[in-house]
């Protein structure tokens, strides 16, 4: 729970460390912590959200699967972030909480609440900034690849992949180019060619195995284009692979 002192004084002891706040100051009441606090004619504003929701939004911000909450994050990280947090709370209170038409609109209320949580993450430094190896794919790219691999023999569009990755088509294309040096649809074509190669190597031409049938099974309706792509990828024709 986040608390902002509007007037008076507020004393509390997170992790056994005594803290005294006055008018205009803000702090985070850490989850799962037993604390003692005292109020001296104070008027406070509070907002609360679950640790699970915080982790979910932070994971989306950094495009990773998991984040760690930063222990000890109980005050704004600096004066500028404190000012930004106060302004965000004031705007939320005025534009959302005190405006019935907006507060009654679930979509607007949820988006505004999300912005409030993002501001809290930034202002209070609530999570440890994830460090990802440059060689490790982002969560969005992993989601895209998992979707492609699960639907490789089915018709797949760029929009299908982007939706599974929870990104726009442009955002996913940029992520793929950055992390894999290819577009999502290029990955699809090469993955299908690889699948066709496995089938060609295991097929028996004396029992009806054919290049055309294997190509069709992997979504290649034009045998000539399939043969050209296959040869460019593996340095031999599909028929040569089938004849092994």
């Amino acid at each position: 729970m986040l608390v902002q002192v509007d007037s008076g004084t507020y004393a509390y002891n997170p992790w056994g460390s005594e803290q005294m706040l006055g008018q205009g100051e803000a702090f985070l009441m850490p989850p799962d912590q037993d604390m003692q606090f005292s109020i001296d004619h104070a008027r406070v504003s509070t907002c609360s959200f679950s640790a699970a929701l915080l982790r979910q939004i932070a994971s989306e911000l950094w495009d990773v699967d998991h984040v760690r909450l930063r222990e000890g994050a109980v005050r704004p990280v600096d004066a500028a972030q404190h000012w930004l947090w106060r302004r965000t709370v004031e705007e939320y209170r005025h534009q959302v909480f005190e405006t019935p038409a907006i507060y009654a609109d679930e979509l607007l209320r949820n988006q505004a609440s999300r912005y409030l949580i993002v501001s809290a993450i930034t202002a209070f430094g609530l999570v440890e900034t994830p460090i990802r190896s440059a060689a490790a794919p982002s969560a969005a790219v992993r989601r895209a690849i998992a979707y492609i691999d699960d639907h490789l023999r089915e018709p797949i569009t760029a929009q299908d992949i982007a939706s599974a990755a929870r990104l726009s088509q442009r955002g996913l294309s940029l992520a793929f180019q950055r992390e894999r040096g290819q577009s999502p649809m290029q990955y699809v074509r090469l993955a299908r060619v690889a699948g066709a190669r496995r089938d060609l190597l295991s097929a028996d031409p004396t029992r009806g195995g054919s290049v055309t049938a294997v190509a069709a099974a992997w979504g290649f309706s034009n045998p000539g284009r399939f043969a050209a792509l296959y040869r460019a990828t593996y340095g031999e024709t599909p028929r040569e692979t089938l004849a092994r």
Side-chain angles (χ1 to χ4, degrees):
M1 181 170 65
L2 289 156
V3 180
Q4 181 167 302
V5 181
D6 298 320
S7 64
T9 59
Y10 194 109
Y12 73 118
N13 63 339
W15 291 288
S17 175
E18 184 73 18
Q19 301 281 336
M20 180 72 71
L21 292 92
Q23 182 175 345
E25 294 188 282
F27 74 97
L28 168 71
M29 187 176 290
D32 305 323
Q33 291 289 324
D34 292 328
M35 294 196 307
Q36 296 178 347
F37 56 88
S38 62
I39 302 174
D40 185 6
H41 298 91
R43 183 170 65 88
V44 300
S45 300
T46 64
C47 64
S48 60
F49 46 83
S50 68
L53 179 59
L54 188 154
R55 289 190 180 94
Q56 174 190 332
I57 291 177
S59 295
E60 294 170 3
L61 285 176
W62 277 284
D63 193 21
V64 295
D65 290 330
H66 304 286
V67 295
R68 292 182 59 186
L69 301 185
R70 186 166 67 84
E71 187 171 307
V74 294
R75 301 290 295 276
V77 296
D78 56 36
Q81 290 293 347
H82 185 196
W83 179 87
L84 178 62
W85 170 248
R86 290 181 60 188
R87 291 289 298 169
T88 302
V89 171
E90 290 168 6
E91 286 299 312
Y92 183 88
R93 179 189 296 147
H94 176 65
Q95 299 292 342
V96 181
F97 190 73
E98 295 177 354
T99 307
I102 293 179
Y103 192 80
D105 189 307
E106 184 177 3
L107 178 61
L108 291 177
R109 186 177 70 251
N110 287 345
Q111 288 300 314
S113 298
R114 177 186 173 87
Y115 179 72
L116 187 69
I117 294 172
V118 170
S119 297
I121 290 172
T122 303
F124 289 83
L126 297 183
V127 301
E128 295 181 4
T129 304
I131 299 175
R132 186 173 65 228
S133 167
S138 66
V141 170
R142 289 200 301 274
R143 288 192 293 268
I145 290 174
Y147 176 84
I148 293 169
D149 291 346
D150 288 344
H151 300 81
L152 205 51
R153 290 179 180 265
E154 305 167 18
I156 300 176
T157 67
Q159 182 56 58
D160 293 334
I161 303 169
S163 297
R166 304 175 206 162
L167 288 178
S168 66
Q169 288 189 47
R170 176 172 172 75
L172 181 61
S173 180
L174 290 173
F176 251 81
Q177 289 290 350
R178 181 178 65 250
E179 298 179 26
R180 302 191 66 91
Q182 61 186 171
S183 72
M185 295 311 294
Q186 285 174 324
Y187 177 90
V188 170
R189 285 192 292 273
L190 292 175
R192 284 175 171 167
V193 169
R197 180 175 176 79
R198 290 192 297 271
D199 285 359
L200 288 170
L201 288 170
S202 62
D204 185 350
T206 65
R207 296 188 177 184
S210 70
V211 171
T212 301
V214 169
W218 286 95
F220 296 100
S221 57
N222 187 312
R225 290 181 181 175
F226 168 69
L229 177 59
Y230 189 94
R231 184 167 188 171
T233 304
Y234 295 107
E236 63 183 16
T237 68
R239 292 189 183 279
E240 290 172 333
T241 303
L242 180 62
R244 286 188 183 182

